[in-house]
Amino acid sequence: MTLPQTPDQHGKGEVELAVSLGPLRLRHPVINASGTFDLGEMEAHYERDFVADFPFSAYVPKTVTLEARAGNPPPRVSETACGMINAIGLANPGLQSFLNSLPALAKLREPVIVSVGGSQREDYVAVVEALEKTLDSATKGSVPQVAGYELNVSCPNVRTGCLAIGTDPAETAALVSAVRPLTARLLVVKLTPNVTDVVVVARAAVDAGADCLSLVNTFRALVVDSVTLKPFLGNRTGGLCGPAIKPIALRLVHDVAAALPVPVIGMGGITTGLDALEFIACGATAVAIGAANFAAVDAGERIVAELEAELRARCLPSVSAARGLALPGSARSARDA
Amino acid sequence: MTLPQTPDQHGKGEVELAVSLGPLRLRHPVINASGTFDLGEMEAHYERDFVADFPFSAYVPKTVTLEARAGNPPPRVSETACGMINAIGLANPGLQSFLNSLPALAKLREPVIVSVGGSQREDYVAVVEALEKTLDSATKGSVPQVAGYELNVSCPNVRTGCLAIGTDPAETAALVSAVRPLTARLLVVKLTPNVTDVVVVARAAVDAGADCLSLVNTFRALVVDSVTLKPFLGNRTGGLCGPAIKPIALRLVHDVAAALPVPVIGMGGITTGLDALEFIACGATAVAIGAANFAAVDAGERIVAELEAELRARCLPSVSAARGLALPGSARSARDA
Amino acid sequence: MSAVPAGSSMVQKAVTVDCRVSDVRRHGTFAVVSLVAPHLARRAVAGQFVMVAVPRGGFVLRRPLSVHAVRGDSIALLIEARGHGSAALAAVDVGQTLSLAGPLGTGFVTEGVQSALLVGGGIGVAPFQMLAERLAAAGSYVTAAFGFRDHRQARVAGAFDIPQLWVATEDGSLGRRGTAVELAETLAVQPGTVVYACGPLPMIGAVQRWAQSHELTGQASLEAHMACGSGSCHGCVIETTAGYLRVCSEGPVFDLRMVIAP
Amino acid sequence: MSAVPAGSSMVQKAVTVDCRVSDVRRHGTFAVVSLVAPHLARRAVAGQFVMVAVPRGGFVLRRPLSVHAVRGDSIALLIEARGHGSAALAAVDVGQTLSLAGPLGTGFVTEGVQSALLVGGGIGVAPFQMLAERLAAAGSYVTAAFGFRDHRQARVAGAFDIPQLWVATEDGSLGRRGTAVELAETLAVQPGTVVYACGPLPMIGAVQRWAQSHELTGQASLEAHMACGSGSCHGCVIETTAGYLRVCSEGPVFDLRMVIAP
Ligand SMILES: Cc1cc2nc3c(=O)[nH]c(=O)nc-3n(C[C@H](O)[C@H](O)[C@H](O)COP(=O)(O)OP(=O)(O)OC[C@H]3O[C@@H](n4cnc5c(N)ncnc54)[C@H](O)[C@@H]3O)c2cc1C
Ligand SMILES: Cc1cc2nc3c(=O)[nH]c(=O)nc-3n(C[C@H](O)[C@H](O)[C@H](O)COP(=O)(O)OP(=O)(O)OC[C@H]3O[C@@H](n4cnc5c(N)ncnc54)[C@H](O)[C@@H]3O)c2cc1C
Ligand SMILES: Cc1cc2nc3c(=O)[nH]c(=O)nc-3n(C[C@H](O)[C@H](O)[C@H](O)COP(=O)(O)O)c2cc1C
Ligand SMILES: Cc1cc2nc3c(=O)[nH]c(=O)nc-3n(C[C@H](O)[C@H](O)[C@H](O)COP(=O)(O)O)c2cc1C
Ligand code: FES
Ligand code: FES
């Protein structure tokens, strides 16, 4: 891990952190992963003004479903070796409550990417339609800048839909085809790692009109209660995330970025700027921070600062210069920079 | 994790550790995972007499292929968060050399399960045929007790065959059908976790005549070289194992054991007796120790001792009494014991 | 989700601070860890908790720990080594630094309480030192009934300085034989006494039934596995009469009647 | 695999032992860690290594470290904090215990060497203290040429006690400017001198070319990532003229001519 320590040779000049997710310009590549950073709650609990001083370059709220969902029975989370497992079950107050909360986000300077979930195609369609209608009719400044949607077809913790869609290329394509005509905004599809070949599903999504892919969602997993020897989580199984899964997530991002021409949002176990850089080297345009937000409320800005330092230490002038260095076609190496 | 500390109530009486893998009786449920414990090398390097004092209840040598394989270019291993990645590429001296090495194992009191790999069906067939012939014609005591075969259709580190077989239920069935008539010995199929639905492949193997299933092999993964930002391993990708993957492996073992009537050998990140017990609760009849052998040469016997202590602490009289407690049908809990 | 804040509403917002361990006292498997944390000492309400980073590799989540006591610029945590994380936390030494986020959660309501009965089991007793002091300072008459498994676990009582503190053990190896609730039963309880309960869910259930039969109101502090500790993840819910509520933000202190216990 | 043992064949078999840290000396980013390990002290041959468990959570593999020196019942390890694992190892304190497995691997051949030249770069110099002593004890005349990046890295030379020790730095900030090989070039080397090389692969390549041009034979100790450290896993191979060979068991010491270096 030792880089040449010659501070005189680098450290000079600006490092360009801005990236483009299709038409969407982000001031840096680090966004939050859905379900792991609730802006309203962070504002309510912490002294810091997270709206005025938002650490991420885009805000992805918790997945919204048409109806309110109470979620799965507890326990819902547990720690594992270098990871954590959750079975929240898409607990959320539902579409109407989300629409009501939009004005509270109006002051946010960063774009919002709305994560949408559901048990069936029609649910996703209903949520996107309702949002489009609300946004179109809203007076300027009364709602945040909603830049796009992330279709969550990969939550392993709900019994119907979601993962059943995301593991099936045809279902995924049908969903994207249904949503695509409803909006001109950025359409992201969030992929599951629980498949034999992620590229098949990714390609189906892109062919059906997705602008961007995000991955990975969590890995279906199980924790045994050490006292009773029964499944520990109320939902029996849950989804594994955190540093434990990073090597698998990197491989999946690498495979998708190598195969498809759309921008990729990479995630899975990122806790440092170097982790973020690794995803970028594997072809990610942006990266998302999930479980690391639980370990530290300032994870976002720390990772951005570290990423900048890592680029600087390698004499890489921009995030783009690092992008894809680990992909099959790339002859370049960070050593040449 | 706190169990009632009332040493007076338990700790008495014998705990039955023996288990049956079909016709094969094992003195305890802990075996080694292929490729992680080479008996000849352990004997050569360590003072201890591993043949006379073998820690596992069965010996699974490194996967044998028809021809010798040099393996993948280095680097081949790297550590990850609570895990490790390898891309050995089934480096092994080939069938003939394996046959020559059999007499050296003759003194081993424990049964041997020969792990067989290959790029195509015919390779597996040739290896099993040759072994059957050699074993049938060997004079008693001149070879070890070969109790069965483990068909490795799940190595992610070879370009052809193997994983391509194991991710395809039809290919898996065809392979098992081809090997089944050749031997009366225990036929184990080692499954890959890199599939959308492991039960589909598992069922194909069982329907085609497999006696037993073992899982998991490693997860396809990638490590980025932090200096060059290129893939670190010589083979670009490798297979992730170790504690990091344990929750996913438990879920897969749980799913297979719940769906199919054959015994399962569970593995993936086991480093303690409690880990082993968790796999048994998820339906495993035996468990295999992989990467933990690297952390400590005495991992095997420590895990057996810990497993016994964990059973005792829960007043469970035998391994069988713990088996399947976490499966859907099981109403019992270790608390009732 | 219709959030029904049942405990004292959050007065002060949380911060993340690195705090120096200034003192460690061990009582059996428990450790009282004092930390220099002026900010938290000023802000915390009894019953609130801090999310503490485990000072060892391999851990990804912080652990919620109640504020056990406030002493000038310092706060004390009372930690029982239960699993790997708490074992690492209970093993810290003077001079080390821990990262704390807090204060978080609702606290106990202590205003206008004439007589208070604190019923705790096992590590559940942790917040009661601070609670007893705050209640006493507000003029309440405070009695505490602590229940433990055995004399070994009961050693944690040594970490407390509450004048009217009674102890029971299930095996009778120290104090009265029985549970915390059975112990409470033996105490003369004035009408209007407010019951404060903290411990495993079955114990809370027993307190709930006992309080109801004596027509006493009460507050219960609950435990749950947490990820964020601040309302983001919905990981820490428990079942209440108002549906699933988050222990970290709608709790940990709930109206005793809301709790659904086995 | 046709194993061609190139270094001294393993004389004694390995054991796993818990060893107490009896002394730690720090030289810049390097630490010399002494451990009470009578068994290893008796058995180890210069050039052999031990597999050391990282004394912190989250690590699954041991780290290979050369035996730097033997002093009575103790052995010393010279550790550079490079990645997370070595950083944790270099941070140990006196009184802590480390788990060591060893001695492992082939050692350097020291018999019948009249004159020896030790060429090392960076942390590659670690085994040379023990080697120099064993050579000297066997009657060899020993010269050492160490190359470092800069004066900071060169501080590790302070951990050595070799009479004829020359140091170069690439930036000239300490000793001669240049590489270890360029430094060796300036030394008067007798015919028949045996070259011992240890360091990064490109440096080994340079030593190889230089030795060849001077018609000197030599031995090189190589590095590789290891999992088992004892031949089981085939994880640590390097490319040699005899194909892939395992650094842990066919090495780490190889005939200098066998190494295929860039
Ligand atoms: C609001 C609040 C305040 C708290 N205050 C205190 C306090 O002041 N002092 C204190 O010592 N503790 C307190 N706790 C509890 C404390 O946070 C946990 O006990 C601590 O996190 C234990 O974590 P661990 O890492 O040691 O154990 P883990 O390994 O995480 O397990 C801890 C406990 O969790 C349960 N658990 C986790 N995983 C499993 C599993 N697979 N099977 C079965 N059980 C499992 C078990 O009960 C186990 O004992 C509090 C908790 C909450 C919610
Ligand atoms: C036979 C032998 C003897 C040795 N003797 C010594 C000794 O005496 N003293 C000593 O200090 N060291 C010695 N080493 C090296 C030592 O084992 C390693 O430097 C040490 O394991 C570093 O591990 P780490 O955990 O700090 O770093 P890791 O985090 O494992 O990385 C260590 C090094 O590995 C490489 N690396 C690992 N992963 C990556 C990645 N993703 N990208 C890029 N590079 C990577 C880099 O070179 C990095 O500096 C020896 C090695 C061998 C094989
Ligand atoms: C508690 C929790 C809740 C989550 N909720 C959602 C969600 O609502 N929608 C979604 O798309 N992903 C959800 N995820 C998955 C994360 O967005 C992310 O894909 C995953 O955690 C991997 O990233 P990480 O390893 O950085 O956590 C959730 C993850 C966690 C831990
Ligand atoms: C270095 C290494 C080599 C392996 N070689 C083989 C092999 O030859 N055949 C095989 O079936 N599995 C092989 N495996 C996989 C293991 O047998 C096991 O399935 C996997 O490591 C998961 O278990 P663990 O987490 O306990 O290591 C290998 C694993 C490692 C780490
Ligand atoms: S712990 Fe995240 S909501 Fe309570
Ligand atoms: S490290 Fe396993 S063979 Fe060398």
Side-chain angles (χ1 to χ4, degrees), chain C residues 89-185:
Chain C
L89 283 165
V92 291
D93 283 322
V94 171
Q96 268 186 270
T97 293
L98 292 178
S99 171
L100 272 59
L104 288 160
T106 55
F108 289 108
V109 181
T110 50
E111 288 84 40
V113 174
Q114 282 221 326
S115 162
L117 176 63
L118 282 44
V119 189
I123 188 61
V125 299
F128 282 168
Q129 181 63 36
M130 181 170 178
L131 177 63
E133 290 175 24
R134 294 284 155 110
L135 283 165
S140 312
Y141 178 79
V142 179
T143 311
F146 286 5
F148 301 101
R149 213 162 35 231
D150 53 26
H151 66 102
R152 277 183 293 266
Q153 202 188 36
R155 291 189 57 189
V156 72
F160 286 81
D161 179 15
I162 301 179
Q164 292 292 321
L165 169 58
W166 306 92
V167 172
T169 52
E170 279 167 45
D171 66 354
S173 58
L174 193 133
R176 217 191 141 81
R177 179 191 295 267
T179 64
V181 182
E182 285 160 5
L183 176 61
E185 185 69 66

Side-chain angles (χ1 to χ4, degrees), chain C residues 226-229 231-236 246 248:
Chain C
M226 289 190 185
C228 71
S232 272
C233 76
H234 293 263
C236 62
R246 290 166 295 186
C248 73

